[in-house]
Amino acid sequence: MATATAADYLDFCNVTITYTHPGWGDTVNLITYLPADWNGRFLALGGGGMAAGGEMLLHLLPNYTPLLRRRFAISTTDGGHPSDLNAAMDVNPPWVFSSPGNIDLAMLVNFASRSLHDMAVLGKALVRAGYGVAPEHSYFFGESTGGQQGYMLAQRYPDDFDGIVANMPAINWTKFLFSIVYAKLTMDVARQYPSPCELDALSAAAMEACDELDGVKDGIISLPGLCTFDPRPLAGRAFDCNGVPSTFSNISTEVAHAVYTGPRSPQGEFRWYGYGRDVALHANGMGPAALECPATGGGSCSAASFHMSDLWLRYFYAKDPSLSLTNIGRQRFDDLFLIAVNEYESLIGTADPDLSRFRRAGGKLLTWHGMADTFLPVNGSIDYYDRVLARDAKAQDFYRLFLAPGADHMGTGITVSEEASLDYIINWVERGRANETLRAAGPTGLGVPAQRDLCMYPRVQHYKAGDPSAPSSFTCV
């Protein structure tokens, strides 16, 4: 039996507030941890998927215990929604409709924005009540949905936090959900489905074509702007499928092309961004062209859906839970895209490039996004940042974006740790030290442990010479 050490014990007070907004019929839980030896800082943590946050989700986060040990006062909110992962993955949640076909706007607004502001106001009030003084500085940390929450706070509640870390953010909410299932649409319309082996081989072909554009072979595409790989000419060509001679089908190359180009209208009009050539197409059922295949290995595969896209297209956009995405067709798919933008952009789109109030409040916003993200197209973050810079040429004084070549949405690749991200924002807010690079660590695409410095956009990482696992071998250009 292992013997516990002093480091295993955390001395803190757990305060839970349950409240409602009059007339909304909601019940929201705010959980706040107040450490005995407080460091003077308040930290709010975001959610993931369709969970706004909450204690059950918090306990699954790898940064939870280290942050308590670092003596932050921590708050998280469930936004009036279930906070366990099963509920967050539910494609038929009971809360969406107030009556058949009518969206429960109170529950949606809670998830999208209101509960986040409540968390800031109530969390800081609890800190003041517990310690007798207000926090010296207030921070927010979130990734994915939590990243989207960070941007919502900067855009809508700019006075709530001094510093926000919003990594791989699910901004452009109304649009990216269509990117994830555009390859599925392509397969379902054709009623043809490639094999996982084909998609894996096409991913490998894209990497082979573009890996060394930055000067080094490391299983990472660091200069995607130079990568012009087109999978369509590979149709009919031979490839090796786990030792079995095979031929690329037309549907496999069209699916890969759909992943790269992103959603288009039936007339070919741009709707939203696709994914980089370094994205894993199938990714063991987690990619933007994921397949569902019989566990026994026999029979045909079908196109997998993404749970959040499935939920939002059926419930929020079509307002028809019985809708089958498999039979939706291109025109209906495009109609739902237009409905999404027209009806929900102001509620949860989180794409307003006007951060002038956040700048005047003295806030700082830091984001890094993996360029091989399999869920959220990195070009969505780039598009937003470019639009912010178009409005405010000095936006880098308070808002910085860093791109992580080869990193995916699940944290695989050369990435920045949660604790390091917080250290960067704290140094920026409290000491005025704004980083132009972020130190990242993890395996290359070839599985070699490495450290590299992520470049502040619009600069990109370029290999100079030397050991590819050392950060000194790369420069930002």
Side-chain angles (χ1 to χ4, degrees):
M1 179 175 176
T3 301
T5 65
D8 295 316
Y9 296 97
L10 299 171
D11 188 5
F12 65 94
C13 182
N14 181 341
V15 182
T16 298
I17 295 178
T18 300
Y19 66 95
T20 186
H21 300 95
W24 283 23
D26 60 344
T27 301
V28 184
N29 295 291
L30 174 73
I31 299 90
T32 301
Y33 296 159
L34 303 176
D37 186 16
W38 180 43
N39 67 10
R41 301 181 179 102
F42 172 66
L43 174 64
L45 296 178
M50 285 301 296
E55 193 163 33
M56 294 182 71
L57 183 66
L58 179 66
H59 288 178
L60 295 174
L61 297 175
N63 57 5
Y64 157 64
T65 300
L67 293 176
L68 269 179
R69 288 208 175 102
R70 291 181 61 177
R71 301 176 291 115
F72 287 94
I74 296 173
S75 280
T76 180
T77 178
D78 68 6
H81 296 258
S83 65
D84 65 278
L85 283 186
N86 288 333
M89 298 282 286
D90 189 357
V91 296
N92 294 293
W95 61 265
V96 176
F97 292 148
S98 56
S99 60
N102 295 304
I103 302 298
D104 189 329
L105 290 177
M107 291 292 282
L108 176 57
V109 169
N110 258 340
F111 174 78
S113 58
R114 180 60 186 270
S115 66
L116 305 176
H117 178 56
D118 293 344
M119 175 171 56
V121 173
L122 296 175
K124 284 186 276 188
L126 282 174
V127 168
R128 190 180 302 109
Y131 300 109
V133 294
E136 296 176 19
H137 296 285
S138 297
Y139 298 95
F140 177 88
F141 177 91
E143 296 181 327
S144 193
T145 293
Q148 176 266 337
Q149 293 171 328
Y151 277 78
M152 178 64 78
L153 288 160
Q155 293 169 21
R156 194 162 299 184
Y157 305 109
D159 298 309
D160 281 356
F161 294 95
D162 303 308
I164 295 173
V165 175
N167 297 331
M168 55 191 97
I171 55 174
N172 309 294
W173 186 283
T174 59
K175 299 175 181 177
F176 82 79
L177 291 170
F178 290 85
S179 296
I180 306 177
V181 290
Y182 190 56
K184 171 178 169 57
L185 174 72
T186 301
M187 290 184 270
D188 288 339
V189 167
R191 291 291 188 265
Q192 298 178 42
Y193 305 92
S195 68
C197 190
E198 280 185 277
L199 297 180
D200 291 343
L202 287 170
S203 295
M207 183 61 64
E208 180 67 25
C210 300
D211 182 358
E212 296 183 76
L213 293 175
D214 65 343
V216 64
K217 186 177 182 64
D218 55 3
I220 296 173
I221 299 175
S222 296
L223 299 177
L226 300 180
C227 181
T228 59
F229 172 76
D230 184 348
R232 291 171 296 179
L234 295 181
R237 294 191 187 181
F239 75 100
D240 181 89
C241 178
N242 300 322
V244 179
S246 304
T247 301
F248 285 118
S249 63
N250 287 327
I251 189 60
S252 69
T253 60
E254 287 297 330
V255 165
H257 181 68
V259 168
Y260 301 147
T261 59
R264 296 293 188 269
S265 75
Q267 293 75 38
E269 300 165 286
F270 172 83
R271 292 306 189 206
W272 198 238
Y273 296 99
Y275 299 83
R277 268 66 172 178
D278 51 353
V279 74
L281 295 170
H282 174 58
N284 293 318
M286 297 292 288
L291 297 162
E292 292 180 342
C293 303
T296 59
S300 300
C301 298
S302 61
S305 189
F306 179 64
H307 71 280
M308 288 175 61
S309 298
D310 189 283
L311 164 62
W312 278 79
L313 267 68
R314 292 187 301 115
Y315 277 82
F316 289 96
Y317 305 152
K319 302 177 182 64
D320 178 7
S322 67
L323 179 71
S324 168
L325 296 192
T326 300
N327 301 315
I328 196 171
R330 292 190 180 277
Q331 188 59 62
R332 182 66 169 142
F333 185 88
D334 194 58
D335 289 344
L336 292 178
F337 178 90
L338 299 177
I339 289 171
V341 173
N342 289 329
E343 294 187 11
Y344 293 91
E345 186 66 30
S346 63
L347 288 170
I348 198 171
T350 329
D352 182 359
D354 186 354
L355 295 178
S356 57
R357 291 191 301 147
F358 185 68
R359 173 179 53 78
R360 289 195 299 271
K364 301 291 186 288
L365 173 58
L366 183 147
T367 292
W368 71 260
H369 197 150
M371 294 167 66
D373 195 318
T374 50
F375 295 154
L376 305 171
V378 68
N379 280 333
S381 289
I382 293 172
D383 177 277
Y384 178 79
Y385 195 75
D386 285 341
R387 290 190 295 117
V388 172
L389 286 177
R391 292 184 60 92
D392 182 354
K394 296 183 178 180
Q396 290 179 336
D397 291 346
F398 67 91
Y399 171 30
R400 298 195 169 189
L401 170 66
F402 298 81
L403 303 181
D408 67 13
H409 193 75
M410 306 306 292
T412 300
I414 302 175
T415 62
V416 183
S417 71
E418 290 91 346
E419 287 192 82
S421 296
L422 276 172
D423 287 337
Y424 287 127
I425 199 70
I426 288 171
N427 281 332
W428 194 2
V429 168
E430 300 180 18
R431 302 174 184 87
R433 300 172 185 169
N435 283 71
E436 298 207 358
T437 60
L438 304 182
R439 179 58 55 87
T444 68
L446 302 179
V448 179
Q451 290 189 1
R452 291 184 187 171
D453 291 328
L454 306 187
C455 304
M456 182 175 69
Y457 179 81
R459 295 186 300 163
V460 294
Q461 201 175 85
H462 188 74
Y463 177 69
K464 295 186 299 183
D467 181 1
S469 65
S472 58
S473 300
F474 292 80
T475 188
C476 295
V477 296

